[in-house]
Each structure stands twice: as C-alpha cells, then as structure tokens.
C-alpha cells in the first residue's frame, strides 16, 4: 500500500476481506497526511452520530424481528409522517412566522394555562393563528427591502401543498413498483437464504437480532406459500354472506349516527360561542365538548369494528385488516367531512369577527384531544387488556397490535393537520411533537403488552395501501377544502393577512396587475395567464401524464409476461430431465438380469443417482423461488 497513490490505496483497502471497522483502521494508518486523516475521522464519526440520531432505527429492527412486517409497517408509516411534519414546520416557520415577528405587537393577554388545552385566550394573539398575521408589507427600513405577507402566506401554503402532492406521488410510485410490479425480486425465499446475510456484522446482539429478523421474514413467506384455501358448502357460504352484510349494515349505520351527532353538536356549539358565557370556566369547558365527543367516537367505534372483524372470521389476517381499515376510513373521513361543512358553510358566514381563527382553534383542540385519546387508548386498550388476559381471564391471552385502528388514527390526525395549516401555520410543529411521543409510547406498549400475530403473514404491500389512503381520500379531500377556502370564501374584515379582499386569491390577481406595469416581469405575467390560469395547459399536462402512466403500465405487463415465459421454460427443462431419467432407469433395471455386465450396471446406477440428486436440487431451488 505504501507505493500506491491515495485513490489506489483506498480502492485496494475496499477490496480486502474483513469488517468495516478493520478497513477503517487500515485506511487511517496508511494515509500519510495528518490533515486528511483527521478530516476523514471526523466525517466518519459525524456520519455514525447521525445514524444513531435517526428516530427508532434500532427500534424498527427489534420490532421487525419480534412482530413481523405487519406491525413494522405501522411504525415505518409513523416515522414517515413525522419527517413530513418536520418539513412542513420548517417551511411555515421560515417563510410565514419569522417575518411576522418583525411586525408583531406585544400580547397584552394573560396566560392562565388553560390555553394549552383550549387554544384560546393568550394564544389567540400569537403567531399560532391566522388572525394575528398582518396584511401589510413588512420592512425594517423605509427604503430597504420589503416582504409582502399576503403573497408570502398564500405562496408558502400553495407551494407546500404542491410539494406534498409530488412527494406523495413519488412515494406511492416507488412503493408500488417495489411491492406490486415485481415483488418476487425482493421477497424470494432463495434470496433470503443465500444473499441476505451481512458478513460485516460482528456484534453478538446484532447477529442474534439479524437472525430473528431473517427467521421472521422466512416464516412470513412460507405462510404465504402454504396458505390453504378453504372450501365451504353452499349453506356455509350463505351464512357467511349474511354475516358480512349484517356487519356492513351495522358499521355504516354507526358511521351515519356518529356523523349526525357531530353535526348537531357543532351547530349547538356555534350558538353557544356566538351568545357568549357568563363564567370563563364554563366557556373553557364548552370549547372542549366538540373535540371530546369526536375523539370518543373515533376511539370507541373502531373497537366495535374490530369486534365485527373477529365475528366475520376472515380466512387471512390481511383481509380482516383491509376490511377494518375500510370501515374506519369511512367513519373518520365522514366525520372530517361534516366538520369541514360546518366550518366552511356555517362558521365562515357567522357573526364571528375572525372566523379563520375560530376554525384554527377548533382544529387545534381536535388535534390535541385526539393525541390524548391516542395515549389513553394505548393504556386502556392494550395495558388493561393484558392485565385481563393474564390475570382475570387467562384464555384470552395477550392482545395483538391493532394495525388498522392505529393507522387510521394517524391518517385522521394528519388530515386535520393539513386542513389546519391555512388557519394555524404552526400546527405541524404541534403534530411533530405528538408523533414523536406516540412513536415511543406505542413502542413501549407493543413490547410490554402485545404478542406477535398468531398467524404469520407477509405484508409487503401494506405500506403502499397506507400511502394510497393518505393520498385518497385524505390529501385530495384537503385540497378541495383549501381550494374552496382560497377561491370561494370571503376573508374576515378585521383580521388576517387577507382582510379587505373578496377572496384570498385576489391577492395574487392584484399582484399580477402590478407586475404588468414592469417590463422585466412580463415573463411572470405570461406564465400566469398562459399556464397557471389556462385550462388547456392542465388538460395537455393531464394527457401527457396519462400517456406516460399507460406506457409504464404496458412495460410492466410486458416484464411480467417475460417472467412467466421464463418460468415455463424452466419447468419444461425440468420435465425434459425427468424423461431422461426414465430412459436411464431402464438400463438399471436390466442390471438385475445376470446377462448384463456388473461394472456397466454400477456405472449406470451411479449416473442415475447423480441425475436424481441434480433433479431434487433443481426442484428445491424452484420451490424456493
């Protein structure tokens, strides 16, 4: 190594067999420059620290090894949503909140502590809500650079939702390709047996954890391969269909009743707010009635849906989870839809001085109370269930982690956060804190109270389903609500950055009219008139996207056809070897006849045994594939 250049020395060390730790030691010793050696050591240490700071990196490995990919998919989805909200908070705080601090006036309201639960009082005159933001152009000096809060507010929210749309599409496409287009590449048992082990692992705990993880993955794949298809009689099929219909009627009826209750409660809630209260404590308590009732419905009705799923007795756990998720999404999205109708059609035209702040407070309380009920659900739904199953009624045993209910809780909370971004820009920061706490609370509850699924099954497609549900109906529904608010509703006259305008979008129209007077900004005006406000542009863009999607789908189908043909070719080669063996067996039978020479019979028998061994190995390999 001493006679090599620096780049050649590094490449030679990389090709050496051994652990990464040993290679790093050799590389540090071989590097002659002390400055370069110190820099590389600092870079490696920094990367290791960042790796350790990743939320739940080791926790995810432990969960996957002990509970399988079905439970692991929930925590991966939760971690992904946490990163999503961190990005949202950084964007809103940087471009909306920080400039407002320059023009902010002192808050004269007193802080009592109840504001943490109600979101009203002292928080009403802070950057937490829409009504506090100014509609003026902010500048430190008279002739210095200025910052238009109206444009900053609407462009930050609009660009953020465009970025979210692209991220969701990219994540769904990536997950779809990995789990639906060609899943056998990543889920083959042969690849897990022969190629998955990492020989750089030397720590004893890491080795045992890796062994348990691989063992769990192989069990899931074998359970899917050996899945039995039950054949029912005509009477049993009729009974099962009747049970399914009754359960669906019960679930839909419960959802309709819950939506009706939320609607009438919200109407009464608005009347109480408009009339006012004599006692401040009564006012604070009345604010929490609607979020508490909505959270109670979202907490206890999913338990009823889980009981219906056990009553129906599906053949596979995946089928039961998907049906439970469908029922929960109908319930939660219906409740959110009723609340959106209440906010946009009743609160927006009410006598409130700042209806946007009132909506932001409602969403703040819903998010906070939903977070509290999520923590209480882990205690009452899992901890007490473990006590009952281990002490009171031993036959019940430990509970299993309810994936459908917990995932829908995350989607419900994220939907509220997206709706509330326009009315409360810092709401993603609150959700970011709640997701971090929920991650560790659910992890502790899972390890202490739950058991692995009784039926082991592989759920590589579960994360894709979660993202699909997050995109539709959650995200697309939020875009509809935000679009109606920006284009159709009139902002409040006395608060917010859009006061005095007929709609929030008028701020953009007035800005374009100003740019028409400047020659240097003609290109912005052209883009606005010919692209952004042009229906033809979006029609052409949609056609191009559909064509690309169709071509990609055809390429995928062609690859699947080629894979099937290759599999048939391999099977035909196996049949040809079987015919060859049958022909070779005939001379071996003749060895029983004394007229056949002994050496020739032994030679034929040896050839047959070798071919039999090859054929068994071939079929074994094909079975693993």
């Amino acid at each position: 190594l001493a006679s090599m250049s620096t780049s050649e020395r590094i490449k030679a060390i990389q090709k050496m067999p051994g652990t990464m730790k040993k290679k790093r030691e050799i590389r540090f010793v071989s590097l002659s420059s002390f400055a370069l050696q110190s820099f590389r050591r600092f870079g490696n240490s920094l990367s290791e620290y960042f790796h350790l700071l990743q939320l739940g990196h080791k926790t995810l490995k432990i969960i996957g090894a002990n509970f399988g990919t079905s439970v692991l998919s929930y925590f991966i989805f939760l971690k992904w949503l946490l990163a999503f909200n961190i990005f949202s908070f950084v964007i809103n705080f940087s471009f909306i909140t920080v400039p407002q601090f320059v023009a902010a006036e002192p808050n004269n309201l007193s802080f009592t502590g109840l504001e943490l639960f109600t979101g009203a009082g002292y928080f009403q005159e802070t950057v937490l809500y829409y009504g506090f933001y100014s509609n003026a152009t902010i500048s430190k000096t008279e002739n210095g650079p200025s910052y238009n809060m109206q444009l900053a507010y609407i462009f930050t929210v609009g660009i953020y939702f465009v970025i979210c749309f692209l991220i969701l599409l990219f994540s769904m496409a990536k997950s779809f390709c990995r789990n639906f287009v060609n899943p056998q590449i990543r889920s083959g048992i042969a690849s897990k047996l022969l190629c998955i082990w990492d020989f750089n692992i030397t720590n004893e705990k890491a080795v045992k954890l890796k062994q348990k993880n691989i063992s769990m993955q192989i069990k899931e794949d074998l359970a899917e391969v050996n899945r039995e298809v039950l054949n029912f009689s005509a009477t049993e099929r009729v009974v099962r269909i009747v049970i399914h219909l009754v359960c669906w009627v019960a679930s839909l009826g419960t959802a309709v009743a819950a939506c009706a209750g939320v609607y009438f409660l919200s109407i009464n809630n608005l009347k109480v707010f408009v009339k006012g209260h004599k006692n401040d404590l009564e006012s604070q308590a009345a604010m929490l009635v609607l979020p508490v009732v909505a959270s109670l419905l979202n907490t206890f009705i999913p338990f009823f849906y889980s009981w219906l799923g056990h009553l129906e007795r599906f053949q596979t756990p995946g089928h039961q989870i998907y049906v439970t998720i469908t029922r929960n999404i109908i319930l939660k999205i219906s409740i959110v839809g009723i609340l959106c109708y209440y906010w946009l059609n009743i609160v927006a035209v009410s006598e409130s001085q700042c209806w946007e702040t009132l909506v932001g407070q409602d969403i703040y309380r819903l998010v906070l109370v939903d977070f509290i009920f999520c923590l209480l659900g882990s205690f009452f739904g899992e901890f007490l269930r473990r006590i009952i199953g281990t002490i009171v009624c031993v036959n019940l045993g430990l509970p299993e982690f309810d994936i459908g209910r917990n995932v829908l809780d995350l989607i419900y909370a994220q939907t509220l956060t997206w709706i509330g971004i326009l009315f409360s820009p810092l709401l993603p920061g609150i959700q970011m804190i709640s997701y971090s706490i929920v991650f560790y609370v659910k992890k502790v509850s899972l390890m202490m109270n739950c058991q692995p699924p009784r039926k082991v099954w592989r759920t590589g497609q579960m994360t894709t389903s979660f993202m699909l549900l997050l995109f539709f109906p959650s995200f697309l529904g939020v875009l509809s609500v935000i679009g109606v608010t920006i284009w159709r509703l009139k902002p409040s006259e006395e608060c917010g950055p859009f006061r005095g305008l007929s709609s929030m979008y008028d701020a953009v129209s007035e800005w374009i009219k100003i740019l028409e007077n400047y020659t240097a900004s003609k290109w912005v005006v052209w883009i606005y008139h010919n692209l952004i406000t042009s229906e033809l542009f979006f029609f052409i863009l949609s056609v191009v996207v559909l064509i690309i999607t169709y071509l990609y789908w055809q390429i995928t189908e062609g690859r699947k056809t080629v894979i099937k043909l290759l599999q048939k070719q391999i099977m035909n080669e196996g049949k040809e070897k079987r015919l060859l063996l049958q022909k070779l067996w005939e001379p071996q039978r003749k060895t029983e006849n004394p007229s056949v020479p002994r050496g020739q019979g032994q030679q034929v028998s040896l050839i047959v045994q070798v071919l039999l061994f090859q054929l068994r190995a071939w079929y074994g390999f094909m079975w693993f594939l």
Side-chain angles (χ1 to χ4, degrees):
L1 296 176
S3 60
M4 298 181 180
S5 63
T6 303
S7 59
E8 293 176 350
R9 195 179 305 161
I10 293 175
K11 291 180 180 179
I13 294 172
Q14 290 176 349
K15 295 179 180 179
M16 289 181 179
T19 62
M20 293 299 295
K21 184 178 180 182
K22 187 67 177 178
K23 290 181 180 180
R24 287 172 183 172
E25 292 177 356
I26 297 174
R27 184 174 61 184
F28 289 146
V29 172
S30 62
L31 291 175
S32 57
S33 174
F34 176 77
L36 185 59
Q37 179 179 350
S38 302
F39 178 76
R40 289 181 178 276
R41 184 183 294 111
F42 173 75
N44 290 325
S45 301
L46 193 64
S47 63
E48 289 178 358
Y49 283 126
F50 276 118
H51 185 72
L52 291 175
L53 287 175
Q54 282 186 340
L55 177 65
H57 182 74
K58 185 178 179 181
T59 302
L60 294 179
K61 291 185 176 180
I62 296 175
I63 292 173
N66 291 281
F67 295 90
T69 57
S70 57
V71 179
L72 178 63
S73 61
Y74 165 80
F75 287 90
I76 293 176
F77 186 62
L78 175 57
K79 184 179 177 181
W80 187 78
L81 286 180
L82 176 61
F84 218 91
N85 281 275
I86 292 174
F87 168 74
S88 307
F89 174 75
V90 171
I91 293 294
N92 292 343
F93 186 79
S94 301
F95 295 99
I96 298 179
T97 305
V98 172
Q100 181 62 33
F101 281 130
V102 179
E105 299 179 358
N107 192 346
N108 298 323
L109 299 176
S110 59
F111 182 77
T112 60
L114 292 175
E115 292 86 351
L116 294 174
F117 297 97
T118 63
Y122 179 82
F123 287 157
Q124 189 170 351
E125 298 297 330
T126 61
V127 292
L128 182 60
Y129 295 117
Y130 164 93
F132 182 75
Y133 289 86
S134 173
N135 65 335
T137 301
I138 300 173
S139 61
K140 284 188 175 182
T141 59
E142 293 183 359
N143 298 324
S146 59
Y147 196 84
N148 193 322
M149 278 303 299
Q150 287 185 346
L151 298 178
Y153 203 99
I154 193 170
F155 280 145
T156 301
V157 174
I159 293 174
Y160 164 73
F161 277 107
V162 171
I163 295 174
C164 289
F165 180 79
L166 296 177
I167 291 176
L168 283 173
L169 279 183
F170 177 76
S171 301
M172 284 194 303
K174 185 178 179 180
S175 182
F176 181 82
C177 291
R178 183 173 61 250
N179 297 315
F180 286 89
V181 174
N182 201 6
Q184 64 270 18
I185 293 178
R186 298 179 180 268
S187 62
I189 304 176
S191 62
K192 287 183 173 60
L193 288 174
L194 304 176
C195 309
I196 201 172
W197 185 257
D198 187 1
F199 290 93
N200 291 323
I201 299 177
T202 56
N203 187 285
E204 185 178 355
K205 292 183 178 179
V207 169
K208 292 182 179 179
L209 185 61
K210 188 70 174 178
Q211 289 174 347
K212 291 180 67 177
N213 207 329
I214 295 174
S215 175
M216 181 62 69
Q217 293 180 24
I218 293 175
K219 287 180 181 178
E220 292 171 353
D221 290 334
L222 290 176
E224 185 175 0
V225 172
N226 298 327
R227 186 175 59 189
E228 297 182 0
V229 178
L230 301 178
N231 295 321
F232 298 100
S233 62
T235 305
E236 292 175 339
R237 291 179 181 177
V238 172
V239 171
R240 289 176 63 86
I241 292 174
V242 170
I243 292 175
H244 290 321
L245 290 177
V246 170
C247 291
W248 273 105
V249 170
S251 62
L252 294 177
T254 306
V256 171
C259 292
V262 170
Y263 175 75
F264 289 111
L265 182 63
S266 61
I267 297 297
N268 183 67
N269 194 42
L270 181 62
K271 293 179 181 179
V272 173
F273 284 142
V274 172
K275 291 181 180 179
H277 295 280
K278 298 179 181 180
N279 192 335
D280 186 66
L281 183 61
E282 181 185 357
S283 175
Q284 301 290 334
M287 292 180 182
L288 295 173
V289 173
L290 179 61
V292 167
V293 172
S295 297
L296 281 173
L297 294 174
N298 283 320
T299 300
F300 289 103
I301 293 180
F303 284 107
F304 173 66
Y305 289 166
S306 299
W307 178 76
L308 290 179
H310 290 293
L311 184 65
E312 291 175 287
R313 295 183 180 180
F314 292 101
Q315 295 186 17
T316 61
H319 193 185
Q320 178 179 345
I321 288 178
Y322 284 124
V323 171
T324 304
I325 286 177
T326 303
R327 290 168 179 168
N328 279 284
I329 200 70
I330 292 174
L331 169 70
K332 294 180 182 293
I333 295 300
S334 299
I335 291 178
V336 173
I338 292 295
L339 291 174
C340 290
Y341 177 82
Y342 158 69
W343 291 326
L344 301 184
N345 293 276
I346 299 176
V347 178
V349 297
S350 64
E351 300 175 2
S352 176
Q353 294 181 352
C354 189
W355 65 268
E356 294 92 346
T357 298
L358 182 60
V359 173
Q361 292 174 358
D362 276 343
I363 297 177
Y364 173 87
R365 290 188 286 269
L366 285 167
V367 170
L368 181 65
V369 175
D370 179 75
F371 166 68
I372 296 173
F373 271 79
C374 182
L375 300 183
L376 294 177
S378 297
F379 178 78
F380 290 101
E382 296 169 359
F383 175 72
L384 292 183
R385 171 67 174 78
R386 177 178 69 88
I387 299 298
I388 294 173
T390 54
I391 298 177
V392 180
C393 185
V394 184
N395 294 329
L396 292 177
L398 295 176
E400 294 185 13
F401 189 79
D402 194 340
I403 302 171
R405 177 175 57 84
N406 285 281
V407 166
L408 267 298
D409 288 341
L410 296 180
I411 295 178
Y412 171 76
Q414 188 59 40
T415 304
L416 292 176
T417 304
W418 276 333
I419 297 174
I421 282 177
L422 185 63
F423 309 103
S424 179
L426 297 184
L427 196 60
I430 300 172
Q431 197 65 271
M432 178 181 63
I433 298 173
S434 67
Y435 279 158
S436 302
I437 298 174
V438 167
F439 184 91
Y440 288 105
V441 169
K442 290 293 183 181
K443 174 247 180 180
V444 173
S445 177
L446 177 70
M447 295 298 180
M448 294 181 58
N449 304 320
C450 299
Q451 65 172 343
R454 294 184 179 90
K455 294 181 180 180
V456 182
W457 57 293
R458 184 172 59 87
T459 56
Q461 302 167 353
M462 187 70 74
T463 306
T464 308
S465 304
F466 296 162
M467 291 183 181
L468 180 62
L469 290 174
L470 187 65
F471 182 77
F472 178 81
S474 177
F475 184 75
L476 293 183
V478 170
L479 288 182
S480 303
V481 173
I482 298 298
V484 170
T485 306
I486 292 177
W487 271 275
R488 299 285 298 274
L489 298 182
K490 184 178 180 180
S492 299
E493 295 288 343
E494 301 178 4
C495 68
F498 304 101
R499 66 190 76 174
L501 300 177
S502 59
S503 67
M504 295 182 183
Y505 188 73
D506 284 349
V508 180
S509 302
E510 293 181 0
W511 177 63
I512 293 297
K513 291 179 181 179
I514 296 174
L515 291 181
E516 289 177 353
N517 300 324
Y518 298 94
T519 307
S521 303
K522 290 293 184 181
W523 62 275
V524 179
V525 178
W526 185 89
I527 291 175
Y528 175 79
H529 288 296
N530 295 278
L531 297 182
I532 297 178
T533 60
S534 174
E535 295 84 357
L536 180 61
F537 170 73
F538 286 101
F539 174 76
I540 296 174
L541 183 62
S542 302
V543 171
V544 171
V545 171
L546 290 175
I547 291 174
I548 294 174
T549 305
Y550 175 76
L551 292 176
Y552 185 76
W553 179 263
Q554 290 299 317
I555 292 172
T556 302
E557 292 297 323
R559 289 176 180 175
K560 289 182 178 180
T561 304
V562 171
I563 291 173
K564 291 180 180 179
L565 292 175
L566 291 175
Q567 289 176 347
K568 288 182 179 180
Q569 183 179 353
I570 293 173
M571 296 300 296
N572 291 332
E573 291 180 358
K575 292 179 180 178
E576 291 177 359
K577 288 191 175 183
R578 185 183 299 175
L579 293 174
L580 181 60
L581 282 174
Q582 291 178 357
K583 292 181 179 180
L584 290 173
W585 271 111
E586 295 178 359
Q588 187 181 11
R589 292 173 182 173
K590 295 180 180 179
T591 56
E592 299 177 359
N593 192 347
S595 61
V596 180
R598 184 175 180 182
Q600 182 180 357
Q602 292 178 350
Q603 183 179 2
V604 172
S605 177
L606 181 62
I607 294 173
V608 171
Q609 291 177 5
V610 171
L611 288 175
L612 276 173
F613 176 77
Q614 291 180 352
L615 186 62
R616 288 171 182 171
W618 178 266
Y619 276 105
F621 181 73
M622 285 298 300
W623 182 80
F624 280 129
L625 290 176

